[in-house]
Amino acid sequence: MRKGTALVVGATGITGGNLASYLAASGWTVYGLSRRPSQQEGVIPVAADLLDRETTAKALAGLPITNVFYCTWVRRDNEKANVEANGAMMHNLLDALQGASVAHISLVTGTKQYLGAFENYGSGKTETPFRESAPRVPGENFYYTLEDIMFAAAERDGFSWNVHRPHTVIGYARGNAMNMGVTLAVYASICKATGKPFTFPGSQVQWNALTDLTDSLVLARQMEWAATTPGAHNEAFNTVNGDVFRWRRLWHEIGEFFELEVADCPETPQPLETQMADIAPTWAEIVKQNELVEADVSKLASWWHTDADLGRELECVNDVTKSRDFGFDHFRETRATFFDLFARLRAERIIP
């Protein structure tokens, strides 16, 4: 039985790609919107650049969409530009869908709701664990812009909504701008091939503090649950695995998985973006020797984003009590999230 007709916006990304596959397997009709057409089984591709208002309207005209799952963003040089570009994308999408059959929209943002944008991290001094009731922090933040545009459109068009706030989504995706799991797998593979110790690139705070992460399937399940549970509509929910960990333990466990020597955490961060600045030829040689499928390391690893996560100088833990109180209690061990991803990357010959 078909559950509804979903438009997954950003269907080739780590969040949207995994969500689209999950919804298709769960009985939805799924349209996958992206700049490059999605090649996923069971997903109907819709090619459009949301920054182009006219082509977006043409691409979506006449589609019988009941649910929109917004899982995309574009990165610009500063937050003011992020606000402008991402706000335009949301406006163009919602205006194109005005008068259609949309009943519900799900928006994925993240933990920068509480931390502030990359250029003013920690500006609000929000206490951990982060709760959905926390006020917005000072400074521009494109997450707030996306929310406000969606809220206004909901008033105008009469649809319900949810906001989902994951913390660093881990899952399978290639060519994605925010992909710590694949980045660490590539880094570990380079360490193995070159004999370098597996060194934590981030801060002492992140090495020692408790933290959490989000499995892409946990996020997909929460999004479907919230969209199909009327009592959960018009609410924001944190979305993490449900466990907490310290990197100083998990880093050693990841090192053991790859059979690596794990170095002590340096006193000062050693950013991967700096360490890996000239690594492209080395990766190409690793690919050749092991008959792997992707020789362009820039299509696999997002050094900058992993540095941003692991280099924070503040604690980051999310409270999921609200989600559980509303009825969603799916749980995933973070260690298994990483190890399952690494096993798939090996099986698909993305890493040795």
Side-chain angles (χ1 to χ4, degrees):
M1 186 180 76
R2 287 283 141 187
K3 294 183 176 179
T5 302
L7 177 68
V8 177
V9 182
T12 57
I14 187 170
T15 296
N18 286 285
L19 172 67
S21 294
Y22 173 78
L23 293 176
S26 300
W28 292 71
T29 298
V30 180
Y31 290 89
L33 188 151
S34 54
R35 284 186 291 271
R36 303 183 315 276
S38 171
Q39 304 298 320
Q40 294 162 276
E41 183 177 352
V43 178
I44 305 164
V46 179
D49 182 347
L50 289 180
L51 287 168
D52 187 322
R53 184 177 182 84
E54 184 176 342
T55 60
T56 297
K58 288 181 179 178
L60 297 177
L63 297 185
I65 305 301
T66 61
N67 290 74
V68 175
F69 298 90
Y70 193 92
C71 312
T72 192
W73 75 296
V74 292
R75 185 190 183 201
R76 294 292 187 256
D77 291 337
N78 55 63
E79 197 60 18
K80 183 177 187 299
N82 281 337
V83 165
E84 292 174 355
N86 287 280
M89 289 167 62
M90 180 63 95
H91 269 304
N92 291 342
L93 175 77
L94 295 180
D95 288 350
L97 293 171
Q98 190 175 7
S101 53
V102 175
H104 188 84
I105 293 185
S106 305
L107 167 64
V108 179
T109 59
T111 305
K112 289 193 293 296
Q113 173 80 20
Y114 312 112
L115 294 172
F118 282 129
E119 60 197 51
N120 62 337
Y121 253 4
S123 59
K125 311 272 187 227
T126 307
E127 287 285 350
T128 56
F130 302 136
R131 293 178 181 153
E132 295 89 341
S133 58
R136 292 178 174 182
V137 302
E140 291 193 286
N141 190 325
F142 80 86
Y143 287 176
Y144 306 157
T145 301
L146 293 178
E147 284 188 345
D148 289 343
I149 294 169
M150 182 180 69
F151 296 157
E155 288 286 328
R156 178 190 73 191
D157 299 335
F159 58 78
S160 55
W161 55 266
N162 286 109
V163 179
H164 299 267
R165 298 170 181 166
H167 175 205
T168 307
V169 180
I170 305 298
Y172 180 83
R174 290 166 61 184
N176 181 259
M178 293 167 47
N179 199 333
M180 179 192 283
V182 178
T183 298
L184 293 184
V186 170
Y187 175 52
S189 300
I190 291 169
C191 290
K192 184 75 175 287
T194 60
K196 291 179 55 176
F198 188 50
T199 304
F200 186 74
S203 69
Q204 287 277 340
V205 171
Q206 290 307 302
W207 180 253
N208 290 306
L210 286 171
T211 191
D212 50 31
L213 292 176
T214 304
D215 187 294
S216 60
L217 185 56
V218 172
L219 177 54
R221 288 180 169 179
Q222 192 200 57
M223 292 180 76
E224 183 193 34
W225 161 79
T228 57
T229 303
H233 288 176
N234 303 329
E235 297 286 347
F237 293 108
N238 290 337
T239 318
V240 289
N241 287 348
D243 63 351
V244 293
F245 67 93
R246 300 183 201 275
W247 275 110
R248 69 189 187 207
R249 174 186 286 178
L250 182 59
W251 196 260
H252 279 86
E253 292 170 335
I254 293 173
E256 289 171 6
F257 182 95
F258 286 98
E259 301 178 330
L260 290 168
E261 174 193 349
V262 178
D264 291 334
C265 179
E267 287 296 320
T268 58
Q270 309 292 315
L272 290 173
E273 192 164 30
T274 302
Q275 288 189 54
M276 300 290 114
D278 301 314
I279 206 65
T282 301
W283 179 254
E285 184 61 29
I286 293 170
V287 168
K288 181 179 178 181
Q289 291 176 358
N290 294 276
E291 298 182 339
L292 305 180
V293 298
E294 182 53 74
D296 185 351
V297 71
S298 69
K299 294 182 178 179
L300 297 175
S302 51
W303 310 122
W304 70 270
H305 185 260
T306 296
D307 286 338
D309 274 341
L310 299 183
R312 294 177 186 140
E313 294 290 346
L314 68 167
E315 183 180 70
C316 188
V317 180
N318 293 269
D319 191 331
V320 290
T321 302
K322 178 180 177 181
S323 182
R324 289 169 174 162
D325 281 347
F326 273 78
F328 181 81
D329 57 4
H330 187 69
F331 172 89
R332 181 82 163 119
E333 185 195 26
T334 295
R335 181 173 54 177
T337 291
F338 277 107
F339 292 174
D340 286 353
L341 172 62
F342 298 157
R344 180 175 178 182
L345 294 174
R346 278 181 170 168
E348 298 195 10
R349 294 179 24 248
I350 294 170
I351 63 172

